[in-house]
Amino acid sequence: MKTNHLLIIAMLLVGTFTSCGAGSNKQNNMEKRTQVKLETTQGDIVVALYNETPKHRDNFIKLTKEGVYDSTLFHRVIKQFMIQAGDPDSKTAADTATLGSGDVGYTIPAEFVPKFFHRRGVLAAARMGDDVNPERASSGCQFYIVTGRKFREAQLLDMAAQKNNQRVEAIFNELARKHMKEYYKMRKANDQAGMEALQDSLEAQAYALYKQEAPFKFTPEQIAAYTTIGGTPHLDGAYTVFGEVVSGMETVEKIELTKTGRADRPIENMRILKATVIE
């Protein structure tokens, strides 16, 4: 069925349209990676930070040494998805407080490295949604550890197709925003034929621009990981992956399985007691 892009244009006009890695190679395994130990109420978690994402690595080390993560909560936990922490406001938050909006006053430019993807156990940066953050810059402090689930290869192929369709829609929406005045005049004049012609023209332009890009597809390494150990493949290419758990996944699993309440916050506080850079 043909997408009703006229409806999308209308939604854009009134402002209601909103949006809300694999294992390293041998050479990288030989490089020394800085490790950080997170001592939590459920046990210890040790993460290794990727050298290929230096801005995120250096920022995580800086915040750890400054004690920013000490006493913060895992404030958002979703089974078969991820556990999220790093909100400074969570240190002294009331049990009924909604968390997740705290920050350190800056963001980190995205550092997408294709070989690092959202397999189970990776460390990635949280961020604001595309509608207010089109550059996909990372939060200066909030992070998550992927738990995820396993997928069939057919599911991954469908997901890749969906990502490509979403990319076409994103290009169309961008073009539509540039033609709002033209569309408004046609709608005011009840020019249905003109609006449909505009839709067809923008669709053609969107597909032409999309074809100039390389379509999204999962690599053999991604397929192998997602069908065996699992993860959250729909986040690939959208959030920066900058490290991985090297010990303590059993602690991650304990936190993942805790009971949660409103806004996916654990009912029992799951806290990072202290974060330490392992020298």
Side-chain angles (χ1 to χ4, degrees):
M1 181 178 294
K2 186 175 182 179
T3 302
N4 187 355
H5 282 129
L6 289 179
L7 177 60
I8 293 176
I9 298 175
M11 293 172 70
L12 288 170
L13 178 64
V14 297
T16 59
F17 189 84
T18 60
S19 65
C20 169
S24 305
N25 59 33
K26 292 181 179 180
Q27 180 179 355
N28 290 327
N29 283 334
M30 293 173 63
E31 295 177 357
K32 179 176 176 58
R33 288 174 171 166
T34 301
Q35 295 186 359
V36 174
K37 181 169 71 172
L38 306 175
E39 299 174 44
T40 83
T41 51
Q42 304 302 307
D44 294 347
I45 304 169
V46 177
V47 296
L49 308 177
Y50 296 146
N51 296 317
E52 295 88 339
T53 52
K55 293 183 177 66
H56 286 74
R57 176 200 62 198
D58 294 349
N59 183 67
F60 199 80
I61 292 171
K62 171 182 175 290
L63 297 184
T64 296
K65 290 183 174 180
E66 292 176 349
V68 171
Y69 293 129
D70 297 351
S71 298
T72 56
L73 298 174
F74 285 94
H75 64 271
R76 184 170 178 243
V77 172
I78 303 177
K79 293 180 180 65
Q80 295 189 327
F81 186 30
M82 56 88 222
I83 63 173
Q84 184 172 333
D87 183 347
D89 294 344
S90 70
K91 292 188 177 187
T92 58
D95 290 342
T96 56
T98 298
L99 300 169
S101 59
D103 59 41
V104 287
Y106 60 84
T107 58
I108 308 295
E111 294 181 293
F112 298 138
V113 180
K115 66 181 177 181
F116 299 139
F117 52 88
H118 284 78
R119 62 177 173 81
R120 179 177 177 82
V122 299
L123 173 71
R127 65 175 179 83
M128 298 292 288
D130 289 357
D131 55 326
V132 295
N133 179 27
E135 299 300 320
R136 295 178 170 176
S138 300
S139 163
C141 56
Q142 293 196 40
F143 64 90
Y144 59 93
I145 297 173
V146 172
T147 54
R149 65 182 181 86
K150 296 178 183 178
F151 291 81
R152 300 188 307 276
E153 185 171 353
Q155 290 176 299
L156 297 175
L157 294 176
D158 287 343
M159 195 176 298
Q162 184 178 16
K163 276 180 170 286
N164 287 320
N165 289 335
Q166 289 171 345
R167 178 56 186 153
V168 174
E169 288 296 308
I171 296 173
F172 177 89
N173 294 338
E174 185 177 350
L175 292 171
R177 288 187 180 93
K178 297 177 181 179
H179 289 79
M180 285 298 96
K181 291 183 179 179
E182 181 181 355
Y183 173 79
Y184 178 76
K185 290 180 180 178
M186 292 178 183
R187 192 177 72 170
K188 190 174 181 179
N190 197 27
D191 183 2
Q192 186 66 27
M195 290 188 291
E196 291 179 357
L198 176 61
Q199 171 182 314
D200 291 343
S201 174
L202 295 182
E203 283 180 344
Q205 293 178 54
Y207 279 111
L209 290 171
Y210 166 73
K211 288 180 180 179
Q212 295 176 14
E213 305 176 355
F216 177 87
K217 63 179 180 179
F218 291 108
T219 65
E221 291 78 16
Q222 287 172 298
I223 293 174
Y226 289 136
T227 56
T228 55
I229 64 172
T232 56
H234 66 283
L235 299 182
D236 287 345
Y239 294 77
T240 296
V241 174
F242 66 98
E244 62 185 65
V245 174
V246 293
S247 69
M249 271 307 288
E250 67 277 5
T251 298
V252 174
E253 291 167 359
K254 287 180 184 178
I255 297 171
E256 178 195 16
L257 296 175
T258 190
K259 292 182 179 180
T260 57
R262 185 167 58 91
D264 301 309
R265 177 176 170 177
I267 294 174
E268 176 188 352
N269 284 336
M270 303 284 160
R271 194 176 298 277
I272 298 174
L273 301 171
K274 186 173 181 57
T276 308
V277 176
I278 300 175
E279 302 292 353

